[in-house]
């Protein structure tokens, strides 16, 4: 028997390791447009000790290790570009502690967002975490590893800003903790210890996140989504500015899409609000609509699309079924809110060039501090030509974002190179040093964020 | 080599592998697909399997023994169809079954499945026991053969041959007798219902079995049929019309409430017992019958019915569907579905795990033993509970 396989079997047990074609095939594929990349082994550890042993083994063997959560990041980020071991972390899915008073929950990093949402709904209905719009199977660890954002992004920022502690297996196998948990205390804060946060947003290149203390926030009794529609994209930034001034919303998104046709070229501003009483909800609605949006209605440039819609949590996306094609991928960026009009215009042009109906979305992060803007390109998995078009559209969009002055969010390797080409040389060297210091053998998700 | 005959070529690429289908209704966890819960590798998730089937169909992958096992590891519990939000979801299992049909046509199926199908072909039951022994289960019960009675009691292969399921079949017969229900049986003229055969992709054999049973039903002028097994219920109700056999089909739990209500049956008192009920997939998700079995259980005096977290549409399958109670492709692990389900039942604090399916009965009783829960929780068919007599 292959000795690495035997060693992995010894660590995780026979059922949770494979080097058979069928598993390798499955883990060679991403949901998006990326070309397949085959691992040599797939293993699904259950404990942090098992992760640590695997990473040590990989160092000895100079084998790549690629952490995988839900595999839903769509940009090939968890594809093993240099083969090696794909570590499916979804068996590390336990809820370790819920502290209602201090509003945090400690979980293993392979837990799904859906499970956290369901758990809180049942055991602590007055609390919520910031849930991304990703399918419910997306993991907490995977989302932090790409600086995700969720449905509390407006009041509280990026999901990676909402943590109170981390446990990480370093690329050399040591298990490290960060935050109050590092000094043996409860997991209630990440600060004020010296900043050692070298793991968030690194796509698993600097270590494997194994435990997370997630901040929880008040979940109010009544929640609704309201919809305001404008035709002129130039109005979107000022409307968002006004709404974020009053700070009544939990999530603000602007969406424009060609399909269905009645919505083509319109900009739908979705606003989530909540209240512990109907009066609180009504008060917030009035501040938003009467206080801020009425004048657009009076001027005949905006209208109410819907009020009081139910909020679906977790959200369910049917985007992949568009034209029955089974696939889509998007470029995400972080841009100033003021870029919305240009992002929309340029995006719809790129879509038109590739024969893909346009879909763009901007989610406000913080009090108008930034916006996650995405351009979605659907394709038909069974038609290689449409996949090629989507891939080219993604690449054009990556370039466009940087030309506009935006930054790419969770870029694929193509986008990472564009970003690093523009990066300040000192910063780039710092990245290289950090990576080398942590990962001397270059085994962690190699090929990603790799400084030449 | 590409499989050009595959029926769902224009659909199978539509699975995005987003994984909604792993969850129960309330999103409690990613583990409500029994095959995925057992293996926890993406290849055994529903999306993974559909992508692998597509790779085989398009010629990207060869059909290996391992691939064949993955394709047959789906136990057809329909959780994925219930949860996938996309418009093709009603065809998820059809896509899997169509792939199996291609494999059957090429003789490339896992050997336990081969044995299962061969036994049915030769003996009309999966156990490989002679067809002439089909009515041995009812020897001491003096059950009439069907002539002109109101109902046919379709016992099914499990009730007829499996020693544990025979207890349930006998209990149910006693109930019918106590209630003076007008019923008869086909005896040795009954043959396997074909439900699992259909799921395993042996289209020719399903047709043969259905035609044989339909001929027996029609010769006797049978109109109303009661089944012990939800699998048989599904076959007779939903598959046989395709072959020209349309009857009024009932699962026995749909008959018992009226017999109880009209005073023809008197459920026993089970003082200080707590019962939890396991929804069988072929009654629940396949046929949307969640109420009738619970009505029967609620009629048991002195006991309390408590639900497992995963119930009704979210019920976690025992792993016995698609012939797996016999082929056991998900066995051999702490996380074999029946063992997970036994733990879920035990976690409610119930002392009785009530089932309404002979496959669930055998799967879960074995699991309770392996889990070391004997003496803590007993697995009983609803018929046995109402019968009250110690099973014999
Ligand atoms: C329909 C749809 C909507 C989406 N909406 C949103 C949204 O609203 N907000 C948002 O933020 N994202 C969104 N996404 C993107 C993505 O699905 C999520 O960010 C998701 O949380 C990623 O988690 P994952 O577990 O799937 O990560 P994966 O794709 O498995 O991994 C992402 C990266 O992190 C690494 N990684 C995974 N786990 C770990 C770990 N434990 N430690 C270290 N590295 C790790 C991987 O190697 C990879 O590089 C969406 C995706 C889809 C398909
Ligand atoms: S079957 Fe549906 S829910 Fe499941 S992975 Fe495929 S598209 Fe997603
Ligand atoms: S039918 Fe059940 S076992 Fe088969 S893939 Fe769907 S959820 Fe899994």
């Amino acid at each position: 028997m292959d000795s690495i396989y035997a060693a992995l079997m010894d660590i995780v047990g026979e059922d949770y390791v494979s080097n058979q074609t069928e598993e390798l095939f499955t883990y060679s594929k991403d949901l998006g447009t990326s070309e397949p990349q085959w691992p040599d082994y797939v293993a699904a550890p259950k404990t942090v000790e098992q992760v640590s042993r695997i990473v040590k083994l990989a160092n000895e063997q100079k084998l790549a290790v690629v952490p995988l959560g839900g595999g839903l990041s769509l940009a090939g980020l968890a594809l093993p570009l240099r083969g090696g071991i794909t570590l499916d972390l979804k068996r590390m899915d336990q809820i370790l502690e819920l502290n209602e008073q201090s509003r945090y929950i400690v979980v293993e990093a392979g837990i799904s967002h859906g499970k956290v949402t369901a758990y809180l709904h049942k055991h602590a209905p007055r609390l919520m975490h910031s849930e991304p719009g990703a399918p419910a199977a997306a993991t907490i660890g995977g989302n932090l590893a790409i600086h995700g954002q969720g449905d509390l992004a407006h009041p509280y920022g990026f999901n990676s800003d909402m943590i109170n502690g981390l446990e990480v297996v370093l690329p050399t196998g040591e298990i490290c903790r960060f935050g109050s948990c590092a000094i043996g205390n409860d997991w209630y804060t990440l600060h004020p210890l010296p900043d050692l946060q070298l793991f968030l947003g690194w796509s698993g290149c600097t270590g494997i996140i194994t435990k997370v203390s997630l901040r929880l926030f008040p979940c109010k009794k009544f929640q609704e989504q309201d919809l305001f529609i404008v035709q002129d994209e130039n109005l979107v930034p000022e409307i968002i500015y006004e709404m974020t001034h009053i700070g009544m919303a939990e999530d603000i998104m602007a969406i424009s899409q060609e399909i269905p046709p009645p919505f083509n070229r319109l900009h739908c501003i979705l606003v989530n609000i909540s209240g512990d009483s109907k009066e609180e909800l009504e008060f917030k609605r009035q501040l938003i609509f009467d206080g801020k949006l009425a004048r657009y209605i009076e001027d005949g440039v905006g209208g109410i699309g819907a009020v009081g819609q139910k909020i679906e949590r977790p959200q369910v996306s049917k985007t992949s079924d568009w034209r029955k094609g089974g696939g889509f991928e998007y470029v995400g960026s972080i841009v100033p809110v003021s870029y919305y009009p240009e992002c929309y215009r340029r995006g719809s042009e790129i879509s038109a060039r590739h024969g893909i109906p346009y879909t763009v979305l901007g989610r406000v992060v913080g009090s108008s501090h930034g916006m996650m803007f995405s351009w979605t390109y659907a394709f038909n998995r069974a038609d290689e030509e449409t996949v090629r078009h989507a891939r080219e559209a993604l690449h054009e969009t990556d370039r466009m974002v940087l030309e506009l002055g935006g930054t790419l969010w969770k870029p694929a390797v193509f986008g990472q190179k564009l970003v690093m080409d523009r990066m300040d040389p000192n910063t780039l060297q710092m990245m290289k040093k950090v990576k080398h210091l942590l990962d001397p053998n270059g085994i962690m998700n190699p090929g990603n964020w790799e400084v030449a | 080599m590409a499989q050009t005959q595959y029926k769902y070529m224009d659909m199978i690429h539509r699975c995005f592998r987003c994984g909604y289908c792993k969850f129960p209704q309330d999103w409690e966890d990613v583990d409500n697909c029994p095959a995925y819960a057992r293996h926890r590798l993406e290849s055994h998730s529903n999306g993974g399997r559909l992508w692998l089937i597509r790779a085989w169909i398009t010629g990207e992958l060869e059909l290996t023994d391992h691939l064949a096992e993955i394709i047959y590891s789906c136990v057809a519990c329909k959780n994925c169809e219930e949860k996938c939000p996309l418009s093709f979801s009603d065809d998820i299992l059809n896509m899997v079954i169509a792939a199996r049909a291609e494999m059957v046509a090429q003789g490339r199926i896992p050997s336990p499945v081969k044995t299962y199908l061969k036994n049915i072909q030769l003996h009309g039951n999966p156990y490989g026991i002679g067809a002439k022994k089909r009515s041995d289960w009812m020897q001491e019960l003096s059950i009439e053969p069907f002539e002109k009675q109101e109902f046919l009691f379709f016992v099914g292969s499990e009730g007829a041959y499996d020693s544990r399921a025979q207890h349930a079949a006998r209990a149910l017969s006693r109930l019918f007798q106590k209630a003076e229900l007008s019923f008869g049986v086909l005896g040795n003229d009954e043959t396997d219902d074909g439900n699992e055969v259909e799921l395993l992709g042996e289209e020719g054999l399903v047709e043969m079995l259905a035609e044989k049973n339909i001929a027996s039903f029609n010769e006797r002028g049978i109109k109303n049929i009661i089944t012990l097994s939800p699998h048989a219920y599904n076959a007779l109700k939903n598959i046989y019309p395709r072959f020209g056999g349309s009857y009024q089909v009932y699962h026995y739990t749909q008959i018992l409430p009226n017999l109880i209500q009209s005073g023809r049956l008197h459920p026993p008192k089970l003082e200080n017992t707590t019962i939890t009920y396991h929804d069988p997939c072929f009654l629940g998700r396949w046929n949307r019958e969640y109420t009738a079995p619970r009505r029967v259980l609620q009629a048991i005096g002195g006991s309390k019915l408590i639900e497992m977290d995963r119930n009704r549409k979210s019920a976690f399958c025992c792993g016995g569907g698609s012939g797996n109670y016999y082929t056991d492709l998900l066995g051999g692990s702490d996380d074999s579905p029946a063992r997970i389900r036994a733990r879920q039942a035990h976690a409610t604090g119930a002392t009785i795990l009530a089932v309404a399916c002979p496959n669930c009965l055998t799967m879960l009783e074995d699991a309770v033993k392996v889990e070391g829960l004997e003496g803590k929780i007993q697995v009983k068919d609803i018929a046995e509970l109402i019968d009250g007599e110690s099973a014999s």
Side-chain angles (χ1 to χ4, degrees):
Chain A
M1 193 195 293
D2 171 341
S3 64
I4 296 169
Y5 178 80
L8 287 170
M9 204 169 85
D10 184 48
I11 297 170
V12 294
E14 187 178 3
D15 282 343
Y16 304 110
V17 59
S18 177
N19 59 359
Q20 302 207 59
T21 310
E22 288 72 15
E23 276 73 38
L24 304 185
F25 166 86
T26 304
Y27 288 87
S28 76
K29 299 247 182 181
D30 189 51
L31 281 54
T33 61
S34 302
E35 298 288 354
Q37 305 285 342
W38 289 65
D40 299 304
Y41 307 91
V42 177
K46 179 75 187 151
T47 64
V48 62
E49 288 74 23
Q50 291 178 359
V51 174
S52 162
R53 284 177 67 194
I54 293 172
V55 171
K56 285 179 182 160
L57 170 77
N59 273 289
E60 279 159 31
Q61 302 292 334
K62 306 280 184 292
L63 263 182
V65 176
V66 179
L68 173 86
L72 292 159
S73 49
L74 304 184
L77 295 177
L79 289 181
L81 304 177
R82 312 260 161 82
I85 308 166
T86 293
L87 273 196
D88 184 330
L89 297 167
K90 289 190 286 295
R91 288 179 71 223
M92 299 181 64
D93 59 358
Q94 296 303 298
I95 292 166
L96 304 170
E97 186 197 346
L98 167 68
N99 190 323
E100 286 199 60
Q101 279 288 310
S102 300
R103 291 206 176 111
Y104 69 82
I105 188 167
V106 184
V107 295
E108 290 184 318
I111 195 171
S112 68
H113 277 275
K115 182 169 177 175
V116 174
T117 295
Y119 182 86
L120 292 174
H121 186 68
K122 195 165 168 190
H123 299 282
R126 296 183 66 213
L127 294 174
M128 64 195 284
H129 80 297
S130 180
E131 186 177 71
T139 65
I140 297 288
N143 189 254
L144 293 177
I146 58 172
H147 279 314
Q149 335 77 36
D151 54 5
L152 292 175
H154 161 41
Y156 307 113
F158 288 91
N159 284 354
S160 42
D161 298 333
M162 301 179 199
I163 54 172
N164 278 347
L166 278 185
E167 179 189 81
V168 177
V169 174
L170 300 184
T172 38
E174 300 89 335
I175 302 167
C176 278
R177 287 188 175 181
F178 303 94
S180 48
C181 61
I183 55 171
N185 290 346
D186 289 343
W187 295 62
Y188 55 85
T189 185
L190 200 58
H191 308 316
L193 300 157
D195 186 6
L196 284 170
Q197 277 196 56
L198 300 166
F199 311 98
L200 306 174
W202 271 91
S203 298
C205 295
T206 53
I208 301 170
I209 303 167
T210 47
K211 290 191 185 79
V212 179
S213 172
L214 267 189
R215 284 189 196 162
L216 302 175
F217 301 92
C219 177
K220 305 226 170 190
K221 207 162 153 194
F222 302 100
Q223 296 171 336
E224 68 173 43
Q225 187 168 69
D226 303 327
L227 171 61
F228 192 70
I229 304 177
V230 294
Q231 191 161 12
D232 181 358
E233 66 270 20
N234 296 308
L235 294 175
V236 172
E238 68 173 65
I239 291 175
I240 288 177
Y241 187 77
E242 290 303 327
M243 281 200 292
T244 52
H245 177 82
I246 53 174
M248 289 294 118
E250 288 184 345
D251 198 14
I252 304 174
M253 285 191 284
I255 297 176
S256 186
Q257 50 194 20
E258 200 164 329
I259 306 247
F263 284 91
N264 188 16
R265 304 284 153 194
L266 296 181
H267 300 273
C268 299
I269 304 175
L270 293 162
V271 187
N272 288 5
I273 57 173
S274 69
D276 276 324
S277 62
K278 294 264 161 109
E279 292 72 32
E280 187 183 343
L281 207 59
E282 180 55 29
F283 171 73
K284 288 180 176 173
R285 211 185 284 141
Q286 274 180 14
L287 278 182
I288 293 172
F289 282 95
D290 300 351
K292 295 296 171 189
L293 300 176
R295 72 183 163 92
Y296 297 98
I297 301 172
E298 277 157 25
D299 293 349
V301 292
I304 298 173
V307 173
Q309 298 181 101
K310 196 171 174 288
I311 297 178
E312 193 179 28
R313 275 183 116 245
Q315 276 178 52
V316 170
S317 161
K318 298 183 187 171
T319 310
S320 68
D321 210 28
W322 185 79
R323 272 199 195 163
K324 303 181 174 170
F328 76 92
E329 188 174 331
Y330 64 89
V331 166
S333 68
I334 304 297
V335 295
V337 179
S338 59
Y339 286 22
Y340 179 91
E342 194 60 12
C343 286
Y344 151 71
R345 286 190 289 265
R346 301 277 290 269
S348 61
E349 283 162 22
I350 294 175
S351 286
R353 271 204 295 285
H354 292 279
I356 305 169
Y358 82 88
T359 301
V360 297
L361 175 151
R363 168 178 259 158
V364 175
V365 183
S367 290
S368 261
H369 294 111
M371 174 174 258
M372 191 292 294
F373 196 100
S374 67
W375 298 259
T376 295
Y377 302 108
F379 57 83
N380 183 331
R381 201 173 292 286
D383 178 352
E384 193 40 50
E385 190 55 13
T386 66
V387 181
R388 188 180 61 76
H389 268 294
R391 199 180 287 129
E392 284 173 8
L394 290 161
H395 290 175
E396 277 177 46
T397 309
D398 278 344
R399 286 195 207 92
M400 180 268 286
V401 169
L402 292 166
E403 269 167 34
L404 276 181
T407 51
L408 289 172
W409 169 54
K410 69 170 180 73
V413 170
F414 179 86
Q416 291 169 18
K417 292 208 168 104
L418 296 181
V419 171
M420 289 188 290
D421 283 349
R422 288 167 182 250
M423 199 175 270
D424 167 68
N426 291 340
T427 312
L428 201 61
Q429 281 313 304
M430 162 85 182
M431 261 177 80
K432 190 174 178 171
K433 282 181 202 159
V434 166
K435 169 76 181 165
H436 185 71
L437 180 78
L438 288 171
D439 185 13
N441 292 316
I443 62 157
M444 283 305 308
N445 204 359
N448 281 284
W449 292 116
E450 208 163 61
V451 182
Chain B
M1 204 178 63
Q3 311 301 309
T4 50
Q5 305 294 311
Y6 184 67
K7 275 191 260 178
Y8 292 91
M9 202 57 218
D10 59 348
M11 188 183 281
I12 196 158
H13 65 278
R14 287 172 62 190
C15 167
F16 188 46
R17 235 172 84 185
C18 42
Y20 294 113
C21 53
K22 291 174 176 170
F23 286 90
Q25 293 298 305
D26 67 356
W27 307 101
E28 193 195 16
D29 209 343
V30 291
D31 58 359
N32 220 40
C33 161
Y36 179 68
R38 159 70 180 83
H39 289 279
R40 292 305 290 257
L41 292 175
E42 284 301 319
S43 44
H44 287 78
S45 70
N46 174 53
R49 184 177 299 99
L50 293 178
W51 281 40
L52 282 165
I53 290 174
R54 178 164 178 257
W56 172 52
I57 298 299
T58 55
E60 199 177 344
L61 288 183
E62 290 294 314
L63 182 60
T64 60
D65 288 351
H66 186 49
L67 180 54
E69 266 179 31
I70 291 172
I71 296 176
Y72 274 94
S73 68
C74 159
V75 291
C77 73
K78 251 191 201 295
N79 183 71
C80 48
E81 291 198 357
E82 202 68 68
K83 200 63 183 167
C84 170
L86 304 187
S87 58
F88 65 82
S89 64
D90 285 349
D91 279 313
I92 291 175
L93 276 168
N94 289 337
M95 291 193 260
V96 176
I97 294 167
R100 292 172 175 182
E102 294 282 322
M103 293 162 70
V104 168
Q106 298 174 22
R108 303 283 308 277
I109 54 178
S111 65
V113 178
K114 233 178 244 174
T115 313
Y116 184 96
L117 294 172
K118 197 174 84 191
N119 284 342
I120 292 187
Q121 175 91 48
L122 289 176
H123 307 291
N125 69 78
Y127 305 99
I129 307 172
K132 294 221 166 78
K133 293 188 174 296
R134 197 169 185 98
S135 45
D136 286 4
W137 67 276
M138 57 176 192
Q139 263 166 13
E140 71 275 28
L141 282 175
S142 57
I143 298 172
E144 300 287 320
F146 187 91
E147 276 173 19
K148 291 264 172 287
Q149 296 94 326
E150 192 182 352
F151 294 100
L152 169 75
F153 173 31
F154 189 94
V155 187
S157 294
E158 302 82 19
Y161 291 101
D162 179 274
S163 58
R164 182 65 188 87
Q166 284 175 345
H167 292 170
R170 281 195 281 269
L172 185 58
S173 307
R174 275 196 296 272
L175 290 181
F176 290 160
Q177 288 172 334
K178 278 185 217 165
E180 296 178 358
L181 189 81
S182 160
F183 79 102
V185 294
L186 290 181
N188 289 344
D189 286 346
E190 184 186 289
T191 194
D192 190 86
D193 54 71
N195 193 61
E196 313 309 284
V197 175
E198 162 116 336
L199 301 170
L200 294 171
E202 187 18 315
E203 293 163 340
L205 187 53
V206 184
E207 190 173 343
M208 206 181 91
L209 296 167
E211 282 175 355
K212 183 157 186 287
N213 277 326
I214 289 170
S216 302
F217 299 161
N218 292 351
E219 268 163 29
R220 292 164 175 81
I222 288 166
K223 299 214 162 36
N224 302 309
I225 306 175
I226 305 173
T227 70
L228 172 70
S229 168
H231 297 246
Y233 171 68
N234 184 64
L236 272 54
K237 185 166 174 259
N238 300 322
I239 299 176
Y240 285 22
R242 237 172 46 217
F243 301 104
S246 288
Y247 312 94
Q248 193 63 45
V249 187
Y250 303 89
H251 181 252
Y252 81 84
T253 54
Q254 296 170 321
I255 295 289
L256 295 190
N258 282 343
L259 297 180
I260 294 170
Q261 217 173 4
S262 58
R264 290 163 69 183
L265 268 186
H266 301 283
K269 283 214 176 331
L270 293 174
E271 293 302 341
N272 301 323
T273 51
T274 327
I275 303 175
T276 191
Y277 170 63
H278 165 74
D279 290 274
C281 304
F282 281 89
L283 204 53
R285 278 184 291 260
W286 278 78
N287 287 295
R288 313 232 160 245
E289 180 58 270
Y290 300 109
T291 314
R294 288 179 169 79
R295 280 180 63 199
V296 181
L297 290 169
Q298 277 153 355
I300 298 175
S303 70
K304 199 169 107 195
L305 181 62
I306 45 173
E307 295 288 352
M308 289 182 257
D309 282 347
R310 308 272 176 102
N311 63 65
R312 298 180 171 82
K313 274 187 191 176
S314 291
F316 183 70
C317 163
C318 75
S322 200
N324 206 57
Y325 65 95
Y326 178 89
T327 55
D328 199 27
L329 296 178
L330 299 180
S333 155
D334 290 358
D335 286 332
S336 294
R339 291 182 61 182
I340 297 177
R341 193 56 167 163
R343 294 197 290 270
Q344 290 174 354
H346 179 55
T348 62
T351 48
I352 294 176
L353 168 53
V355 298
C357 167
N359 293 356
C360 303
L361 180 65
T362 53
M363 295 291 291
L364 292 170
E365 189 163 279
D366 289 348
V368 160
K369 285 182 197 146
V370 185
E371 285 288 311
L373 294 172
E374 270 176 304
K376 294 184 180 136
I377 188 163
Q378 273 182 300
V379 185
K380 291 274 188 191
D381 194 276
I382 290 180
E384 295 171 336
L385 286 171
I386 301 299
D387 180 41
E389 288 178 30
S390 67
S392 59

